[in-house]
Amino acid sequence: NLQESESENKLDGETASDSESKSEFGGSAPVPTSDDTPEVLNRALSNLSSRWKNWWVRGILTLAMITFFFIIIYLGPMVLMTIVMCVQIKCFHEIITIGYNVYHSYDLPWFRTLSWYFLLCANYFFYGETVTDYFFTLVQREEPLRILSKYHRFISFALYLTGFCMFVLSLVKKHYRLQFYMFGWTHVTLLIVVTQSHLIIHNLFEGMIWFIVPISCVICNDIMAYMFGFFFGRTPLIKLSPKKTWEGFIGGFFATVLFGLLLSYVMSGYRCFTCPVEFNNDTNSFTVDCEPSELFQLQEYNIPLVLQSVVGWQTLRMYPFQIHSIALSTFASLIGPFGGFFASGFKRAFKIKDFANTIPGHGGIMDRFDCQYLMATFVNVYIASFIRGPNPSKLIQQFLTLRPDQQLHIFNTLKAHLVDKGMLGSLEDA
Amino acid sequence: EAELEERLVELDLRNDSDVLDAPPASDSTPEILKPALSGLSARWKNWWIRGILSLAMISGFFLIIYLGSFMLMLLVLSIQVKCYHEIITIGYRVYHSYDLPWFRSLSWYFLLCVNYFFYGETVADYFATFVQRREQLQFLIRYHRFISFALYLAGFCMFVLSLVKKHYRLQFYMFAWTHVTLLITVTQSHLVIQNLFEGMIWFLVPISSVICNDITAYIFGFFFGRTPLIKLSPKKTWEGFIGGFFSTVIFGFVFAYFLAQHQYFVCPVEYNSDTNRFVTECEASELFQMKKYSVPPVLQAVLGWEAVTLYPFQLHSVALSTFASLIGPFGGFFASGFKRAFKIKDFADTIPGHGGIMDRFDCQYLMATFVHVYITSFIRGPNPSKLLKQLLILQPEQQLSVYKTLKSLLVEKGILQPSLRG
C-alpha cells in the first residue's frame, strides 16, 4: 500500500512521505503540508490546480537556484567560499533542529549554545589549517597570525576542551540520557557537515572546475534520473525510495556521463576555471592565473578499433580532464544516490517529510545537498590520489621549519635517490 | 512492532527515570581468590580484590614496557578493540538491537576500515625504509586514501541497503553510536601510538600521571575528604582533587627525572630494516640533557638553593601532570554521566572489582590527545620522515626542481658548502 500511495505522489517530487506518518510520536509529527508558495507566485498561479502549482513552484525555484549558482561562480572564489560557509551553517542548523524536535530538548540547559560553540570550534580548526596552507606568506608576515598559526592545534584543542568541560558541568540529573544523545547528535552532524564543506573548499582551491563539475554532475543526475523515471520508469529500484526506478537510474547515469564530458570540454578552455586559486600577496586578492597543466591541454587519443567503425573517426582530440570527468560523473550517478537513500532513511526514521521548509517546493537546504555528501569527499580523495601529488612549494615551506641537521639529512637522502634514478649524474658535487 | 515503538517512545522520553535499571551487582570474585578471601566480609573482600587487581595491572604494565615498543603497540591495539566492543555492546543493550540485520558485522567492519586508514597514515611513515623495498606496499601507500575511502563507502552502502522498514530509527542510532565510538576510541589509540613513537617517555609519563592522580585523589579523599566536588560523582571531594593534583605533579616530576636518564625511554622509536626490529638509540635531544636553572629569588629563600640542575623535560612533565589532574577527571565525569544516563554500573565485567577496560581508561581519553597536541605545538616541528616520504613520491622533474631549490636554500644558510663548480 505504500507503493500505491507513492505512485500517486509521483509528480510531487523527491520528498518520500511515510504513509505511517499519522504517528503517535507526540510532538514530532511532521509539520502539516501548508501551502508554502511564496506570495509573489501565489497570484500568478492561483488559477492552476494544486498539483500543477506545486510542479511550477518546484520548476521556478530550480531555475532560480541554478541562476544563483551561475551568478556566484561569476563573482569568484571568495564569494563561493562564503556561500559554502553559509550553506554549511544552515545544514547544521537544520539537522540540530530536527534533533531538538525529536528529543523535545529545547529547554536543555546550555544546549543550543554548546552546539553552536562546537560548530565554531570545528570551523576554527579547519579554517585555520586551510588558511595556514594556502595563505602561507600572508600568515608569516603578520605577527599575530603567525603565532595563531604556530600554536593552532593547541588553541583549537583548548577551545574544544572548554566546550567539553562545559558539557560535563551542564549535565542535569534527570536529563543525562537526552544530553548525551544531543552531544552525540551534534558531533555526528559536525562530522558530516563541517568536514564535507571544508573538503569542498579544498577542491575549490585546486581549481574551480573541480568544484563546479562534481556539483553539476550530481544536480544533473538528480534531474535526469527524475526525467527518465517520469517518462520510462517501471521497475522500482529500492524499497527505501519507492519513487526511484531502474530506468531512471540507468538513464540518469548515461545522461550524466555525457553531460560531464561536455561541461568539462567547455570549461577546460578557460583559465579562470582550470587554474588553482592563489592568493596574491601584492594585490591582496585571489587570482586564477597560470600555465594550464597537462590535464587541460588538448591531446590526441586513438579511438579503439572497436569504436572506430561506429564513430567513423580515427583519433579524437580531448582534454585529459574529460577522462577524469567520466570517473566523477560515474561516481555521482552510481554512489551519489546512496547519499540520497541515506537521507530518505533518516527522514523516515524520524518521521519527517523534509529537513526544513527553507526552499518552497523543495524542503530544506539539506534536501538539496543530500546527494552531495559523498561527492565532495570522493573528489578530494580522487585529486589527492590520482591528480596531484604533494604540493612541492608546500613541502619546501615545511622543509624550512626543520632543524639544520634534519634538513641536511633530507637533502642527502633526496640526492641519493635522484642519483639512484639517474636523474642526477656526477655533475653535482656534495 | 507496536511494542518496539513503545520502547522507543520510552527511550526518548524527556525523563530518564522510566528506563529499567541495570541488573543487580553480582559477586564477581574470581575463582582463584575465593578460598583466600572467604573469611572476610563483603566490603573488605571488595577492597582486597580491587587492591590485588590494581597491583596485577601495574605489574602487567611494567612487564609490557620491558618487552618493548612492539608489544606496547599490540597492547594499545587490544585495549582499543576491547573498549570499542564494550561501548558497542552497551549500545546493543540500550536499543535491544542484537537482532538488527548485519549490524554487528558492519560495526566490526567500520572498526577495521578506520584502523586500516589510521595505520596506513601514521605507522607507514615510520616503516618508510621497509616499505620502499616492496612493490606491492608502494602501491598500497600511494593510493592509501583512495583505498580506505572505497572500503568505507562499501560499508556505507551496505548500511543503506540493510535498512529495514520497521527499524530505521534503531539502525540510524546504532550507526551514529558506532561512529561516535570510533571517533573516541580509535583516534585516541592512534594518538597514543604516535606519542609512543616520539619516545616511550611520552607514553609512560602521561599514563602514569593519570593513574597516579586516580590513586592519590582516592587516598586523599579517603583520609581527608569532606567537601563534595561535583554532583555527578558524589564520591569525589575537593580535598581529594587538590591533594591529588599536588601529589601527581610531584610524582610526574620525580618519575620524569628517572626515566630521562635512559636512552630506552627517551629516544624516538625507529624501525631498523636491517635487523627487522624496533630500536631506540640516539643522541639524547636537548630536552633530556641536564641544565642549570636559576631558582627565582622568591623560592631561593624557601629552598636554600641558588640553582637547580634539571632535565628540561621535567618542566614539560609539570604541564602534563597538571593536565592529568585538572582536566583528566572531566573524562571520568563524562564516563560517570554516561553510565548514569544509560543506567549501567560499569562498562563491562572484564576486570573483577574494577569493571570494564573503559572504566580504567576513562580519564585517559583526553590525555592522549593533549600530549599529542602538546608535542606538535611545543616540542617538535613537522615530522621529517613524513616530509621525506612526500618528496619521494613527487614526479622526477618536480624532485629535481625541489632538489635545486633546497640546495640553494641550504647554501644560503651556510649549512651546505657551495660546490666548487658553482
Side-chain angles (χ1 to χ4, degrees):
Chain A
N1 55 352
L2 190 63
Q3 300 250 7
E4 289 168 49
S5 62
E6 287 308 322
S7 56
E8 276 174 17
N9 293 334
K10 225 179 184 186
L11 280 177
D12 282 3
E14 298 287 351
T15 53
S17 64
D18 189 345
S19 68
E20 303 162 307
S21 60
K22 41 187 194 295
S23 82
E24 55 278 71
F25 270 79
S28 70
V31 177
T33 41
S34 53
D35 180 14
D36 50 13
T37 328
E39 268 315 300
V40 85
L41 298 174
N42 240 337
R43 278 168 270 134
L45 302 169
S46 50
N47 296 329
L48 301 168
S49 76
S50 95
R51 184 172 141 202
W52 282 106
K53 187 155 59 159
N54 199 22
W55 213 85
W56 269 107
V57 170
R58 275 182 77 89
I60 290 174
L61 259 307
T62 308
L63 285 174
M65 288 194 289
I66 293 179
T67 315
F68 182 65
F69 189 41
F70 281 131
I71 290 178
I72 55 178
I73 290 174
Y74 176 74
L75 288 175
M78 191 66 192
V79 178
L80 268 172
M81 273 176 66
T82 319
I83 298 288
V84 169
M85 180 85 177
C86 298
V87 169
Q88 175 213 101
I89 294 179
K90 192 70 183 69
C91 287
F92 182 79
H93 177 69
E94 284 179 8
I95 303 185
I96 294 287
T97 311
I98 293 175
Y100 289 150
N101 291 336
V102 169
Y103 293 116
H104 314 281
S105 51
Y106 248 102
D107 42 358
L108 276 185
W110 293 9
F111 211 79
R112 261 178 295 174
T113 324
L114 272 176
S115 303
W116 289 108
Y117 179 79
F118 282 126
L119 177 68
L120 206 74
C121 287
N123 270 312
Y124 176 76
F125 173 68
F126 279 112
Y127 271 107
E129 299 266 304
T130 313
V131 165
T132 315
D133 286 344
Y134 291 103
F135 294 83
F136 191 73
T137 27
L138 174 69
V139 166
Q140 293 293 72
R141 262 197 320 207
E142 312 284 335
E143 201 42 39
L145 285 184
R146 204 180 62 81
I147 297 182
L148 279 182
S149 156
K150 187 163 161 56
Y151 298 109
H152 179 253
R153 286 197 179 184
F154 192 76
I155 297 173
S156 310
F157 185 59
L159 288 175
Y160 176 80
L161 269 189
T162 316
F164 183 85
C165 295
M166 291 286 113
F167 169 71
V168 171
L169 293 172
S170 78
L171 288 172
V172 174
K173 193 158 174 187
K174 292 267 175 271
H175 302 287
Y176 291 145
R177 186 181 285 231
L178 271 185
Q179 291 183 288
F180 272 92
Y181 278 166
M182 286 310 297
F183 189 75
W185 191 288
T186 305
H187 279 67
V188 175
T189 310
L190 282 175
L191 198 72
I192 298 175
V193 171
V194 179
T195 49
Q196 298 292 322
S197 87
H198 280 272
L199 291 178
I200 288 181
I201 291 182
H202 273 275
N203 298 341
L204 178 70
F205 271 95
E206 203 54 34
M208 280 176 50
I209 199 173
W210 290 104
F211 170 79
I212 296 174
V213 169
I215 291 186
S216 315
C217 287
V218 173
I219 296 175
C220 171
N221 185 255
D222 255 356
I223 297 176
M224 291 294 144
Y226 180 78
M227 293 201 165
F228 275 85
F230 185 74
F231 289 115
F232 308 113
R234 209 154 298 135
T235 343
L237 179 62
I238 186 174
K239 270 201 299 247
L240 200 48
S241 288
K243 283 188 277 125
K244 309 277 184 189
T245 58
W246 275 102
E247 291 83 8
F249 187 70
I250 296 180
F253 167 60
F254 284 109
T256 307
V257 170
L258 249 121
F259 169 81
L261 280 170
L262 289 173
L263 183 69
S264 351
Y265 180 77
V266 170
M267 289 199 137
S268 299
Y270 297 95
R271 266 198 218 163
C272 67
F273 295 126
T274 62
C275 289
V277 175
E278 267 153 33
F279 184 75
N280 190 323
N281 301 313
D282 309 316
T283 61
N284 266 2
S285 67
F286 288 103
T287 51
V288 272
D289 210 9
C290 66
E291 215 27 65
S293 84
E294 281 182 352
L295 273 185
F296 303 106
Q297 289 169 12
L298 280 172
Q299 272 187 37
E300 296 256 338
Y301 287 94
N302 294 321
I303 300 189
L305 292 165
V306 179
L307 292 176
Q308 268 188 27
S309 38
V310 173
V311 176
W313 296 316
Q314 275 188 343
T315 58
L316 190 61
R317 284 170 59 86
M318 288 203 305
Y319 294 101
F321 179 76
Q322 291 183 274
I323 315 233
H324 291 296
S325 81
I326 297 180
L328 298 181
S329 331
T330 308
F331 184 88
S333 322
L334 300 186
I335 311 289
F338 277 90
F341 301 150
F342 186 85
S344 294
F346 181 84
K347 285 186 282 193
R348 280 163 190 270
F350 296 100
K351 311 268 185 196
I352 53 178
K353 186 174 181 300
D354 288 320
F355 278 92
N357 278 327
T358 322
I359 311 176
H362 286 265
I365 300 269
M366 276 300 279
D367 288 290
R368 288 301 92 212
F369 284 84
D370 54 18
C371 293
Q372 303 273 6
Y373 303 158
L374 305 171
M375 194 76 209
T377 318
F378 176 76
V379 175
N380 191 272
V381 170
Y382 189 87
I383 294 178
S385 303
F386 298 112
I387 307 293
R388 65 165 169 81
N391 184 357
S393 47
K394 192 166 151 189
L395 291 180
I396 295 181
Q397 289 158 13
Q398 286 183 359
F399 184 83
L400 290 172
T401 61
L402 291 175
R403 292 195 312 264
D405 57 310
Q406 292 172 316
Q407 291 179 337
L408 254 181
H409 170 70
I410 290 185
F411 178 76
N412 288 327
T413 315
L414 183 62
K415 182 174 172 184
H417 179 80
L418 285 173
V419 168
D420 226 15
K421 287 206 155 186
M423 301 275 315
L424 216 52
S426 45
L427 295 170
E428 305 280 326
D429 266 352
Chain B
E1 296 123 22
E3 195 191 301
L4 192 64
E5 292 292 314
E6 271 171 33
R7 254 190 263 145
L8 282 176
V9 175
E10 280 173 17
L11 287 174
D12 292 349
L13 269 185
R14 186 184 290 243
N15 194 312
D16 290 348
S17 57
D18 292 3
V19 181
L20 303 165
D21 277 327
S26 53
D27 180 17
S28 56
T29 327
E31 275 311 305
I32 357 168
L33 298 176
K34 266 212 166 96
L37 301 169
S38 50
L40 304 167
S41 75
R43 183 173 143 211
W44 281 108
K45 189 150 64 157
N46 199 23
W47 213 86
W48 268 107
I49 294 174
R50 276 183 77 93
I52 291 175
L53 259 307
S54 300
L55 286 174
M57 288 193 290
I58 292 178
S59 321
F61 190 41
F62 280 134
L63 183 66
I64 308 245
I65 291 172
Y66 175 73
L67 289 177
S69 342
F70 188 66
M71 292 304 293
L72 269 172
M73 274 175 67
L74 281 182
L75 180 70
V76 170
L77 186 62
S78 326
I79 291 178
Q80 174 213 99
V81 172
K82 191 71 183 65
C83 287
Y84 181 78
H85 176 69
E86 284 178 9
I87 303 184
I88 293 288
T89 311
I90 293 175
Y92 290 150
R93 275 189 299 158
V94 167
Y95 293 114
H96 311 278
S97 54
Y98 249 101
D99 42 0
L100 277 185
W102 294 11
F103 211 79
R104 260 178 292 174
S105 335
L106 271 177
S107 304
W108 289 109
Y109 178 80
F110 281 126
L111 178 67
L112 208 73
C113 283
V114 180
N115 267 312
Y116 176 76
F117 172 68
F118 276 114
Y119 272 107
E121 292 275 302
T122 55
V123 174
D125 286 346
Y126 296 106
F127 289 83
T129 35
F130 179 75
V131 165
Q132 291 292 64
R133 282 186 289 178
R134 287 158 181 73
E135 274 309 305
Q136 311 89 330
L137 289 185
Q138 287 268 27
F139 175 79
L140 284 180
I141 297 277
R142 216 196 160 96
Y143 298 110
H144 180 253
R145 286 198 180 181
F146 193 76
I147 296 173
S148 311
F149 184 59
L151 288 175
Y152 176 80
L153 269 189
F156 182 86
C157 295
M158 291 287 114
F159 169 71
V160 172
L161 293 172
S162 78
L163 287 172
V164 174
K165 191 161 173 181
K166 293 278 176 252
H167 301 287
Y168 291 146
R169 186 181 282 231
L170 271 186
Q171 292 182 290
F172 271 92
Y173 278 166
M174 286 311 296
F175 187 76
W177 191 287
T178 304
H179 280 67
V180 176
T181 311
L182 284 173
L183 199 72
I184 298 176
T185 55
V186 180
T187 49
Q188 298 293 320
S189 87
H190 279 272
L191 291 177
V192 168
I193 290 182
Q194 283 197 285
N195 297 342
L196 178 68
F197 271 95
E198 202 55 33
M200 276 174 57
I201 199 174
W202 291 103
F203 172 79
L204 291 174
V205 169
I207 290 187
S208 318
S209 299
V210 173
I211 295 175
C212 169
N213 183 255
D214 254 355
I215 297 175
T216 47
Y218 179 78
I219 293 179
F220 273 85
F222 188 77
F223 289 116
F224 307 114
R226 208 155 299 134
T227 345
L229 180 62
I230 187 172
K231 269 198 301 241
L232 201 49
S233 290
K235 283 189 286 156
K236 310 274 184 190
T237 57
W238 275 102
E239 290 82 9
F241 187 70
I242 296 181
F245 167 60
F246 284 110
S247 347
T248 307
V249 170
I250 294 174
F251 167 81
F253 201 75
V254 171
F255 192 48
Y257 178 77
F258 284 112
L259 287 184
Q261 294 168 350
H262 302 278
Q263 262 192 8
Y264 182 67
F265 295 120
V266 157
C267 292
V269 176
E270 269 154 36
Y271 182 75
N272 188 323
S273 36
D274 305 318
T275 60
N276 267 0
R277 290 171 59 239
F278 287 102
V279 291
T280 47
E281 260 171 33
C282 62
E283 215 27 67
S285 86
E286 285 179 352
L287 271 186
F288 302 105
Q289 290 168 12
M290 293 277 231
K291 264 166 79 158
K292 268 181 113 75
Y293 288 94
S294 321
V295 178
V298 178
L299 294 177
Q300 268 187 28
V302 173
L303 291 175
W305 296 317
E306 274 185 353
V308 282
T309 42
L310 289 180
Y311 293 102
F313 179 76
Q314 290 182 273
L315 298 176
H316 292 298
S317 81
V318 171
L320 298 180
S321 323
T322 308
F323 184 87
S325 321
L326 298 185
I327 311 289
F330 277 89
F333 300 151
F334 187 85
S336 295
F338 181 84
K339 285 187 282 192
R340 280 163 192 269
F342 296 100
K343 307 270 183 190
I344 53 178
K345 187 178 177 303
D346 288 321
F347 279 92
D349 280 328
T350 322
I351 311 178
H354 287 266
I357 302 267
M358 278 300 280
D359 289 291
R360 286 303 89 213
F361 284 83
D362 51 22
C363 294
Q364 303 272 8
Y365 302 158
L366 305 171
M367 194 75 209
T369 319
F370 176 75
V371 175
H372 180 79
V373 170
Y374 190 86
I375 293 177
T376 48
S377 301
F378 298 113
I379 310 292
R380 67 165 168 83
N383 184 359
S385 47
K386 189 161 186 157
L387 185 59
L388 189 60
K389 176 184 121 181
Q390 290 184 314
L391 279 174
L392 292 173
I393 66 179
L394 285 175
Q395 301 296 331
E397 308 80 43
Q398 291 174 312
Q399 286 179 340
L400 201 57
S401 82
V402 168
Y403 170 80
K404 295 200 172 112
T405 318
L406 292 184
K407 185 168 175 196
S408 57
L409 280 171
L410 288 176
V411 165
E412 228 178 86
K413 286 192 163 197
I415 298 173
L416 203 58
Q417 300 306 319
S419 78
L420 294 172
R421 291 176 200 250

